[in-house]
Amino acid sequence: MRFDAMKMMMSLVVMLMIMLRHCNALSMHYYIMNCPMAEFIVRNSVNSALRADPTLAAGLIRMHFHDCFIQGCDASILLDSTDDSTAEKDSPANLSLRGYEVIDDAKEKLENQCPGVVSCADIVAMASREAVIFAGGPVYDIQKGRKDGTRSKIEDTRNLPSPFFNTSELIKMFGQKGFTVQDLVALSGGHTLGVARCSSFKNRLKNFDSTHDVDPSLDTQFTKTLTKTCASGDNAEQPFDATRNTFDNSYYWALQRQSGVLFSDQTLMSDPKTRNIVNMYAMNQAMFFLDFQRAMVKMGLLDVKETGQVRQNCRKLN
Ligand code: HEM
């Protein structure tokens, strides 16, 4: 009898240990017990913001990418600069990021419903997924349970890819984060949404004193389009493809027509290492969607912190 009681106690302890371990691990249903409405609340905030301004879908997807590539997916991108330190968001590479107010809105609602539970890093990941779905892209599930980081430094953003990188440089940078060449081409398909500003591609055009020629990988007609856009100044916006608010494979069609906006887009078609993958996605949207969602799930797990704080306000440390 005493032996049975001891056995039961032991199995209870083991179960408790497994449960405690599980509490920290990422999972699809991480908030099921302590904030079951979490995904619903984020979806509502994103959908109402995107109904008012569909262009914000691009901002939210890009925000998740820029968050995960620097210090892992830990919402370091959301922290504001302080008197002693300039944050990632104030780096030139991040100045055109958009959608912070959508994250703030979701966070405020979540704090009312279940204070101190849902991390800002998870909100960014969920918001990005909702933005893909809203724009007509693949529907996929993501794990939750990321904790928020405490470091956000402008100098760390040098690890973001440059729009002037060639394929080999892109493969190297993405490879260092564990991405395959196919992941790189699929993730670049994020440029099916949104715009680039003239300052990100004007080096591909003939400059005013004609010291360099037009990028030979640019289509002649499209060169005229880009030149016309840039006539309105450095901040003038050029959509990446013909359907800037729709998540589809027309970005790859643009690359096939030598009409990629950034040098780092067109290089994927110019280089034999990636050309076949571009052609495959241009032909087969279902294949693009499948690879994109897999690569996004992988990106969403980059250097995730399973212990640490859940910020009360995504812009400030607790
Ligand atoms: C492959 C390397 C990449 C480079 C060099 C790159 C670079 C850029 C640049 C320069 C812009 C325009 C910024 C501006 O002019 O204001 C941009 C916009 C954008 N990027 Fe990327 N990017 C890359 C990968 C990605 C990935 C992996 C995603 C997401 C999965 C992504 C999503 C976006 C989106 C959605 C926009 C449009 C943002 C808007 O309209 O507000 N990019 N990117």
Side-chain angles (χ1 to χ4, degrees):
M1 187 69 178
R2 263 190 32 213
F3 182 67
D4 276 357
M6 259 177 70
K7 250 172 67 181
M8 215 159 97
M9 278 271 287
M10 287 285 282
S11 23
L12 272 174
V13 170
V14 171
M15 263 172 63
L16 201 70
M17 277 168 66
I18 293 174
M19 272 173 67
L20 278 176
R21 218 184 103 75
H22 195 72
C23 279
N24 274 338
L26 297 188
S27 91
M28 300 291 187
H29 310 291
Y30 190 84
Y31 295 115
I32 193 118
M33 299 301 282
N34 48 7
C35 198
M37 299 293 275
E39 299 212 38
F40 178 77
I41 292 172
V42 174
R43 184 172 310 137
N44 258 352
S45 291
V46 171
N47 287 353
S48 59
L50 297 191
R51 273 194 295 272
D53 178 3
T55 71
L56 281 176
L60 290 171
I61 293 165
R62 187 170 180 230
M63 181 187 287
H64 186 37
F65 166 51
H66 282 215
D67 182 32
C68 293
F69 253 56
I70 307 301
Q71 298 288 318
C73 313
D74 67 345
S76 53
I77 188 66
L78 302 179
L79 287 170
D80 283 341
S81 294
T82 61
D83 288 344
D84 340 299
S85 163
T86 309
E88 287 171 28
K89 63 161 55 152
D90 289 323
S91 143
N94 283 330
L95 288 181
S96 58
L97 274 189
R98 302 175 302 130
Y100 295 109
E101 65 288 358
V102 184
I103 307 295
D104 288 339
D105 179 69
K107 181 64 176 172
E108 198 185 317
K109 292 182 173 134
L110 286 163
E111 284 301 303
N112 286 337
Q113 189 86 28
C114 21
V117 173
V118 182
S119 69
C120 299
D122 274 348
I123 300 175
V124 173
M126 288 189 271
S128 163
R129 188 264 312 267
E130 296 304 336
V132 170
I133 297 173
F134 184 94
V139 178
Y140 56 98
D141 208 355
I142 54 166
Q143 295 189 315
K144 275 78 63 184
R146 298 165 188 79
K147 292 289 181 277
D148 295 330
T150 49
R151 174 190 167 98
S152 181
K153 302 259 180 220
I154 185 171
E155 57 268 25
D156 294 340
T157 59
R158 61 175 174 259
N159 293 321
L160 285 170
S162 150
F164 315 125
F165 273 4
N166 63 28
T167 299
S168 302
E169 291 167 311
L170 291 171
I171 290 176
K172 187 167 170 223
M173 182 170 260
F174 278 69
Q176 282 162 352
K177 304 256 176 215
F179 292 105
T180 63
V181 176
Q182 196 146 329
D183 290 334
L184 161 69
V185 182
L187 284 174
S188 299
H191 289 174
T192 177
L193 295 177
V195 296
R197 288 160 311 129
C198 170
S199 53
S200 301
F201 56 80
K202 69 176 178 187
N203 66 317
R204 305 181 71 200
L205 308 170
K206 214 182 181 81
N207 57 1
F208 295 112
D209 45 11
S210 300
T211 49
H212 66 76
D213 278 334
V214 174
D215 176 349
S217 69
L218 256 181
D219 169 75
T220 327
Q221 203 52 42
F222 194 60
T223 307
K224 289 184 189 153
T225 306
L226 294 184
T227 309
K228 199 167 152 216
T229 300
C230 283
S232 308
D234 271 5
N235 283 327
E237 294 177 351
Q238 176 66 43
F240 282 112
D241 66 18
T243 52
R244 62 175 281 185
N245 294 328
T246 305
F247 197 101
D248 56 18
N249 64 342
S250 50
Y251 162 77
Y252 299 103
W253 299 348
L255 301 191
Q256 287 181 319
R257 292 192 309 269
Q258 293 191 278
S259 303
V261 175
L262 305 176
F263 178 79
S264 56
D265 292 319
Q266 196 57 51
T267 182
L268 300 175
M269 186 65 197
S270 318
D271 195 306
K273 290 195 283 297
T274 43
R275 184 182 303 146
N276 289 343
I277 310 172
V278 170
N279 285 331
M280 177 175 74
Y281 291 152
M283 219 165 60
N284 188 341
Q285 178 165 278
M287 184 68 93
F288 164 50
F289 277 20
L290 192 68
D291 284 354
F292 181 81
Q293 75 186 58
R294 282 193 188 134
M296 283 296 273
V297 167
K298 192 165 165 183
M299 189 179 89
L301 297 176
L302 273 181
D303 297 324
V304 161
K305 296 165 184 61
E306 290 180 15
T307 53
Q309 63 174 248
V310 166
R311 277 179 227 144
Q312 277 164 354
N313 174 342
C314 291
R315 294 171 185 260
K316 291 191 192 100
L317 297 179
N318 287 347

